[in-house]
Structures are given as C-alpha cells and as structure tokens.
Amino acid sequence: GSYYLATNFIGVNGGIVIEAGNVTLDLNGFTLAAGDAGAIYVVGSHPNITLRNGIIRDFPDDAIVAGTAQNVVLESLQVFNNLGVGITVGSGSQVRRCTISSNAFEGIMAGDESTLQDCTIRGNGGSGVAAAAHCRVTDSTSVGNRDNGIAVGPGSQVRGCNASGNQGT
C-alpha cells in the first residue's frame, strides 16, 4: 500500500519497519530523526519498496537498510549524520536525487544491477559509493569521503560523475 508521514518523527523508538512488498512511503518533506536504532528497515527480500521526499538524520545506526529487498526506489531523500551506513539497497534498486552526507560508514551500498543517479555523496566515514556488479552510477558527485569516492563491481558503468578529495580511489 501507500503511506505518508503527516509530521516530523523525532526520537522514533525502533524506527519504521517494512515487512511486505509493494509499499510506498512518502515522507512528505518531513524528518525522521534521533531514534534508538536505525530509521527504516525493510525486513526480508520483499520487492518494490519506494521511499521518497524527506530527511533522515542523527540515528545511532544505519539509516536505511533494504539490503535484501529487490527493486527498491529511493528518491529525493537527505540522509545525514547517522552513526552507521547511510543507505543500503539490494539488487535492481534505484537511488535518485538523494544527498547522503556525514554518515559514520559508507554513504551508499548498492546490490547488483542497481542504478544511482543525480546523487551527492560527501563526507562519509567509508566509501561514498560501494556498488556491486553491473551497476550504473551517473551524474553524481562523491567528495571528501574517508575511503573510495565511487567503487563499483565488474561490468558496472560510471558516467558524468565527479569524485574528488576522497582518501581512497
């Protein structure tokens, strides 16, 4: 189904857990902040999850965890100051028009055949982008990360990107 936030969620205990496929969550421009765990967890390999339009910040763990879910779409999100990975998505996922910054570990970790487009990734504690095989990273900027700017697996494409000031490759 489709869901949306109607207000900011500050100090969310346990975060938001998605346990089904074919779910759209529109943050509606609101903020998820400072809970006791991560912000959004997709449990299992459920397909077709869409998250959009909001801010996720200041969590003591990973912000968005959807590493086993397939065909996840994340768009127009700001993910920053979390004490884990900013975004983890599974195979066939799309991350578009997102800003991921100042997370303690990687900015974005993406599974096989994922696409990252028009993203800004900066100042994360690990790599800005760590993408698996056959991924596409286009028109994105990855600067000032403590490891690689953009690291992709075999068969991947990187086009129209700027990676600078990163401590790795």
Side-chain angles (χ1 to χ4, degrees):
S2 294
Y3 305 90
Y4 65 92
L5 293 186
T7 189
N8 293 318
F9 278 33
I10 309 298
V12 178
N13 292 325
I16 295 173
V17 178
I18 299 173
E19 296 181 325
N22 303 307
V23 170
T24 298
L25 175 59
D26 191 333
L27 300 181
N28 218 13
F30 291 108
T31 297
L32 294 175
D36 65 349
I40 300 174
Y41 286 100
V42 178
V43 177
S45 59
H46 302 293
N48 307 320
I49 307 295
T50 300
L51 306 171
R52 63 170 61 112
N53 302 326
I55 298 168
I56 300 170
R57 64 175 174 80
D58 302 324
F59 281 87
D61 203 345
D62 299 340
I64 299 172
V65 179
T68 58
Q70 298 179 356
N71 303 318
V72 172
V73 175
L74 304 179
E75 54 190 8
S76 301
L77 297 170
Q78 296 177 46
V79 179
F80 60 93
N81 291 341
N82 299 288
L83 295 181
V85 174
I87 293 173
T88 303
V89 292
S91 63
S93 296
Q94 299 177 43
V95 181
R96 301 186 292 244
R97 298 178 306 281
C98 292
T99 299
I100 303 93
S101 62
S102 302
N103 297 289
F105 295 103
E106 277 67 29
I108 301 174
M109 295 177 65
D112 291 342
E113 300 179 358
S114 292
T115 301
L116 286 68
Q117 180 179 5
D118 295 322
C119 292
T120 300
I121 309 101
R122 67 176 173 264
N124 295 287
S127 293
V129 175
H134 305 287
C135 291
R136 292 184 58 203
V137 182
T138 59
D139 303 320
S140 295
T141 299
S142 183
V143 297
N145 298 289
R146 287 195 190 126
D147 200 356
N148 300 312
I150 301 172
V152 295
S156 295
Q157 299 176 358
V158 178
R159 293 188 178 162
C161 293
N162 174 22
S164 63
N166 301 292
Q167 293 181 17
T169 56

